[in-house]
């Protein structure tokens, strides 16, 4: 079936995901920094966007951890 869409601010979604995954990143010596967000209204499936953003952060942290020298990034 069709996935439900809603209108939401993509910037707020980024802040929500970064806030939720900050501890995960810090445990891997990765700092998540959000800068320069502007309001960006989108109409999409919000849970799917949140999942995609989460996956980007998870995959990035894993890649950095694999290449890491133990220093914060």
């Amino acid at each position: 079936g069709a996935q439900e869409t809603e209108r939401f601010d993509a910037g707020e979604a980024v802040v929500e995901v970064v806030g939720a995954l900050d501890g995960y990143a810090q445990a891997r010596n990765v700092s998540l920094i959000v800068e320069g967000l502007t309001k960006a209204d989108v109409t999409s499936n919000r849970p799917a966007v949140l999942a995609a953003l989460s996956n980007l952060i998870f995959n990035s942290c894993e890649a950095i951890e694999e290449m890491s020298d133990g220093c914060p990034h």
Side-chain angles (χ1 to χ4, degrees), residues 22-42:
D22 191 52
Y24 175 86
Q26 284 186 13
R28 286 149 184 81
N29 288 322
V30 177
S31 297
L32 301 178
I33 301 168
V34 178
E35 294 180 338
L37 283 180
T38 58
K39 187 164 179 58
D41 286 333
V42 296

Side-chain angles (χ1 to χ4, degrees), residues 48-67:
V49 170
L50 293 175
L53 291 170
S54 296
N55 284 335
L56 284 171
I57 292 173
F58 281 130
N59 292 341
S60 298
C61 287
E62 286 179 8
I64 291 168
E65 187 177 32
E66 287 174 8
M67 299 183 318

